[in-house]
Every structure is written in structure tokens, then in C-alpha cells.
Amino acid sequence: ITSGKTVTVSSGDYLEVQSNLKVDGNLIFQDSGSLIQVNDNAINTGIISYERKATVKKYDYVYWSSPVADFDMSGIAYYVQYGWDATALNDNGGEGNWVGVSGDMTAGTGYIFRVPNSMSTTLDNFTATFTGTPLKNKKNITVYRGNDYTTNGTLGTPRTASDDNWNLIGNPYPSAIGVNEFLDANAAI
């Protein structure tokens, strides 16, 4: 996309690129728009804007992952945000807890954002616009497991050996992923 030009991909539509993507102008993806790249080894340069909307109300949470590189989560208007750490100690004496996070979002990591307190108590759109170089190439995401064991926790709530095996993983691409292919490729995890 050449300098001075703007291409907008409408909601529910997609832009398919066979290989590299070079953006010197403006490339905007409206909510539910997608970038599909056929070549897994494509090289992307330039900046896109990638809009996502969630229908929420005050006190709701949204789970998001960045589809662009080096996106600072402070670019999202939120009240608080967290990441999940499978090995962080929790109040029940086990492992697996929400932890405060800030800075750039890591590709493939999911984050939880509580919407601003200024949101209404009735449903409304909450929008985030991710700006940066679109992520590409296959991503290997580390799945963490804690060392919890079966016992009653310090709060009297039973703990099991699998309580600390949860991970919050997010789609690292500016497009939808095929859920069946994803699950099949990761069946052993």
C-alpha cells in the first residue's frame, strides 16, 4: 500500500496476500475484518490498524491478544488488566493466579481487561484499535504448569493436581484461526 493511500477492510471481509505485506500508507481492518497471508514465511513491514469490538457493560472483562508486534497495552482504555500465571501463588495456597501486567503485549499471550468505570450498566461497544506491524509466521507458545498437588487449600477449598495447569493463550494473528486445525495440531498438549 503506497504512501498517501488508504485501504479499509470492512467488517466480515478479508484481504488475502500471497506473500510479503508492505504498508507505507494506511491499512485499516474494521471489527471482524481479517488479513490472510498464504506464505508462512512472509515478511511484513509498516503499520496497520486493527479494530476489535466487544459488547460489554460496566464491570465486565474482555479477553484480548495482540495481532500486531510491539503493541503497548496502555493503548487500550481499561480500568485494570491482568495476565494469568500458572505458577504464581494464589490465596488458597496453590499455584495459578492473575497478575498485574503492563507494557507490550506478547504474541500469543492472552490478557484480560476490565472495561473502564465510565461504561454504562447497559450493554455498549467497547473498542480497541491495535496498531503496529501485523504478526505473521508460526508461533510456538510455551504452556506452563505449576507444581500443585491434591490437598485442601489454606482457605479450605480443595485443590487438585490439575488446578494449576490453566494457561491464557490468545490468537496472535490479524485474522481468525481454524479452531479444528488448531486443536488437532495441539492435541498432545
Side-chain angles (χ1 to χ4, degrees):
I1 299 178
T2 58
S3 179
K5 302 293 182 184
T6 298
V7 173
T8 300
V9 178
S10 300
S11 179
D13 211 346
Y14 65 93
L15 172 66
E16 184 173 321
V17 179
Q18 294 300 310
S19 193
N20 303 336
L21 175 67
K22 182 178 180 185
V23 181
D24 290 325
N26 298 301
L27 179 53
I28 300 165
F29 291 87
Q30 294 178 337
D31 183 54
S32 297
S34 290
L35 170 64
I36 298 172
Q37 285 185 274
V38 176
N39 181 349
D40 283 337
N41 297 313
I43 297 172
N44 295 334
T45 58
I47 304 297
I48 67 168
S49 294
Y50 194 74
E51 177 186 84
R52 287 296 176 247
K53 290 182 182 177
T55 304
V56 295
K57 59 185 183 290
K58 188 175 185 175
Y59 305 121
D60 282 349
Y61 287 87
V62 177
Y63 296 89
W64 271 324
S65 180
S66 180
V68 298
D70 305 320
F71 181 77
D72 188 329
M73 64 184 75
S74 67
I76 299 175
Y78 56 83
Y79 178 68
V80 292
Q81 78 281 347
Y82 299 100
W84 180 259
D85 185 339
T87 61
L89 296 179
N90 60 43
D91 292 341
N92 198 35
E95 294 180 327
N97 207 357
W98 296 107
V99 294
V101 292
S102 62
D104 289 349
M105 296 173 81
T106 303
T109 299
Y111 298 88
I112 181 171
F113 297 87
R114 195 179 105 193
V115 300
N117 282 338
S118 59
M119 293 285 297
S120 171
T121 55
T122 59
L123 290 175
D124 198 2
N125 283 335
F126 177 57
T127 303
T129 302
F130 298 90
T131 54
T133 303
L135 292 169
K136 185 59 191 140
N137 302 325
K138 293 184 179 181
K139 305 283 182 234
N140 290 317
I141 309 300
T142 302
V143 174
Y144 294 95
R145 299 185 187 275
N147 297 307
D148 235 341
Y149 50 90
T150 303
T151 184
N152 275 335
T154 56
L155 298 177
T157 304
R159 293 178 4 216
T160 69
S162 61
D163 283 349
D164 58 352
N165 292 344
W166 297 98
N167 283 251
L168 185 55
I169 297 173
N171 178 3
Y173 305 113
S175 65
I177 59 173
V179 69
N180 290 331
E181 292 87 351
F182 174 79
L183 292 172
D184 289 345
N186 294 284
I189 299 175

